Amino acid sequence: MDDYRRLADRVADDIAAGRLRPGERLPPQRVFARRRGIAGSTAGRVYAELVRRGLVVGEVGRGTFVRAAPAGNGRALVENSTTAPVNLELNYPSAPGQSELLAPALAPLLRPDVLTDALRPAPVTGTPEARQAAAALLATPDWHPAPDRILFTGNARQAVAAALASLVRPGGRVGVEALTYPVVKEIAARLGITLVPLATDADGPRPQSVAAAHRTAGLAALYLQPTLHNPTSVTTSPERRSQLADTAADLDIPVIEDRIWSFLTDDDPLAAHAPGLTHVVDGLSKRVAPGLTVGFLVVPEERVETVAAAGRSGGWSAGRFALEAAVRWIADGTVERLVAAKRADAARRQRIVGEELHGFAVRSDPRAYFAWWELPAPWRADTFTAAAAAHGIAVTPGPAFAVDPNRTPNAVRLGLASAPEPDLRRALRTLGGVVRAGP
């Protein structure tokens, strides 16, 4: 009997040669097994291997389909990995006149005597001035982080990596929303961590799902995005945050709370409900700019040194120049002015989405910089992504966010921040026309 990998190679050859075309449905596994004279379990391994290679996608209740576009990855969301004229993958907002606002605070850093100090290495604990500035920036009405619990990394992604590395051993399990930030999937894979999808609803992650996953096999931590969840833009309700905090406390599960989009809202963090368990991640890449940024990590008091050690060993500490720039931008009100401008910008872009995609199943929040588009049949996420690319528009297919490769959403995420508004409007109008015309 052929090894399942050899059978997968044959199907892969058919896909490469065009004998199996993008969007074509593979036979049910029992039919595949009967035709090949193999066991049903072997057929299951063949299909799983094809999913792993990114050649097919399985959709619950519909079957397994040949993928029309390469599987999405985290790099597309943080680097310019496409030549499409309109990029709705990257999602870094930029306010009008942003460079003019940022420049004055940088000028003093360019004096030779100041620059000498600013080019020295910075510890993960930053400087007293940086800790005070970050504490003031991150504070909410009911949450005031202690400056001595704040650590600094090069960006928020590094803060996530440091938190995970400090909390979870290789082989450990981390509960996440069933749709999660693709970069976290990549970080977990490199650290040897298994992500466990948690059920969610309109209020956010369900505490019952956390408890059930922990009973199956202990969870070492949770990674959650309670504020403007990426990609769905759901914000977890205060009541649900309190319930999640109670569940985490009862089960003694530490939480990594990603608040990278929190500057667009006024909500309190999950950390306000569970300060002894929650590791808050935030940064300046969205508030200010991705090219000169700093990541923040607020940790429980007794874990400061452990997480700092993980940051040092991973080489994830912030650059001193970026740290000094951040302190000045926070102190002189530049960050506050940029946040106000970007809140207004996000609201305008959401209105464009409402106008151009009216009548479609688009889920979003009027404060968010992204939208989640659930595609109508017969469209599928990968075929639509390929069709959009043919029109010069890059979007992120929903399966890029799915933790379970066998339960992938028939949707795409639209990043609204990076394209100029006229280009965004034209792109959305074009995409609406593509959907109406059909595959």
Side-chain angles (χ1 to χ4, degrees):
M1 182 173 60
D2 285 340
D3 180 87
Y4 76 94
R5 284 182 292 266
R6 293 178 183 173
L7 290 172
D9 289 342
R10 294 179 188 177
V11 178
D13 289 342
D14 288 341
I15 293 172
R19 291 186 290 272
L20 286 173
R21 299 181 58 79
E24 188 171 341
R25 181 179 176 178
L26 298 185
Q29 291 182 21
R30 64 181 183 280
V31 175
F32 183 89
R34 186 172 64 249
R35 290 176 180 173
R36 304 280 178 149
I38 58 177
S41 59
T42 303
R45 298 180 73 183
V46 171
Y47 278 42
E49 175 67 12
L50 293 170
V51 169
R52 189 192 67 78
R53 297 184 191 183
L55 298 174
V56 303
V57 59
E59 299 179 9
V60 175
R62 299 189 65 208
T64 303
F65 298 84
V66 177
R67 188 183 290 276
N73 56 52
R75 186 170 66 87
L77 303 184
V78 296
E79 298 178 13
N80 194 2
S81 62
T82 177
T83 58
V86 182
N87 190 337
L88 304 186
E89 286 185 326
L90 278 179
N91 210 26
Y92 289 105
S94 178
Q98 179 165 302
S99 296
E100 289 76 9
L101 281 173
L102 295 172
L106 295 179
L109 289 175
L110 301 181
R111 284 175 34 199
D113 56 329
V114 179
L115 185 61
T116 297
D117 190 57
L119 293 180
R120 293 194 176 106
V124 180
T125 52
T127 63
E129 296 81 9
R131 292 193 292 274
Q132 291 290 341
L137 177 70
L138 300 178
T140 67
D142 291 329
W143 183 65
H144 302 275
D148 59 1
R149 291 171 46 209
I150 299 177
L151 304 173
F152 299 90
T153 58
N155 53 48
R157 299 187 302 278
Q158 293 180 358
V160 172
L164 283 171
S166 74
L167 288 167
V168 190
R169 295 179 178 178
R173 289 161 39 95
V174 174
V176 299
E177 290 103 339
L179 299 175
T180 196
Y181 182 33
V183 171
V184 169
K185 294 165 59 178
E186 293 190 347
I187 292 172
R190 291 185 181 279
L191 293 176
I193 293 170
T194 299
L195 298 183
V196 180
L198 304 173
T200 62
D201 57 27
D203 284 332
R206 299 178 59 196
Q208 302 92 322
S209 181
V210 174
H214 191 63
R215 282 195 303 269
T216 300
L219 296 176
L222 302 175
Y223 166 82
L224 304 175
Q225 306 169 64
T227 302
L228 297 178
H229 170 262
N230 180 18
T232 64
S233 78
V234 168
T235 291
T236 302
S237 67
E239 295 78 13
R240 180 61 58 81
R241 293 182 194 224
S242 178
Q243 294 166 1
L244 286 167
D246 289 344
T247 299
D250 290 343
L251 301 174
D252 195 27
I253 305 175
V255 181
I256 301 169
E257 179 179 8
D258 191 335
R259 283 179 59 80
I260 194 65
W261 291 107
S262 66
F263 71 95
L264 296 172
T265 77
D266 296 310
D267 71 317
D268 290 313
L270 182 64
H273 300 277
L277 287 172
T278 309
H279 302 61
V280 176
V281 171
D282 210 326
L284 293 183
S285 61
K286 311 295 186 182
R287 282 181 173 89
V288 180
L292 188 61
T293 187
V294 171
F296 307 120
L297 187 51
V298 186
V299 303
E301 182 177 3
E302 68 278 6
R303 301 208 73 250
V304 171
E305 182 50 42
T306 300
V307 182
R312 285 190 290 268
S313 64
W316 294 317
S317 59
R320 184 65 171 261
F321 188 90
L323 204 60
E324 294 293 337
V327 169
R328 285 165 169 75
W329 287 329
I330 295 169
D332 69 7
T334 296
V335 175
E336 184 178 1
R337 288 189 288 274
L338 288 175
V339 165
K342 291 179 181 183
R343 286 186 175 194
D345 181 56
R348 287 195 306 272
R349 290 166 184 268
Q350 285 292 344
R351 287 194 290 271
I352 293 174
V353 173
E355 292 164 4
E356 299 299 335
L357 299 182
H358 178 73
F360 291 110
V362 178
R363 186 194 310 175
S364 194
D365 184 298
R367 302 166 295 181
Y369 262 119
F370 42 87
W372 182 245
W373 190 357
E374 296 173 346
L375 300 167
W379 282 108
R380 293 180 21 259
D382 57 330
T383 52
F384 178 74
T385 301
H391 285 79
I393 305 167
V395 300
T396 309
F401 300 90
V403 177
D404 184 348
N406 295 310
R407 300 183 67 87
T408 56
N410 192 39
V412 294
R413 194 205 72 168
L414 306 174
L416 310 178
S418 299
E421 284 187 38
D423 292 349
L424 174 64
R425 183 178 292 277
R426 284 192 294 269
L428 295 178
R429 186 172 298 169
T430 298
L431 294 177
V434 169
V435 169
R436 293 185 185 96

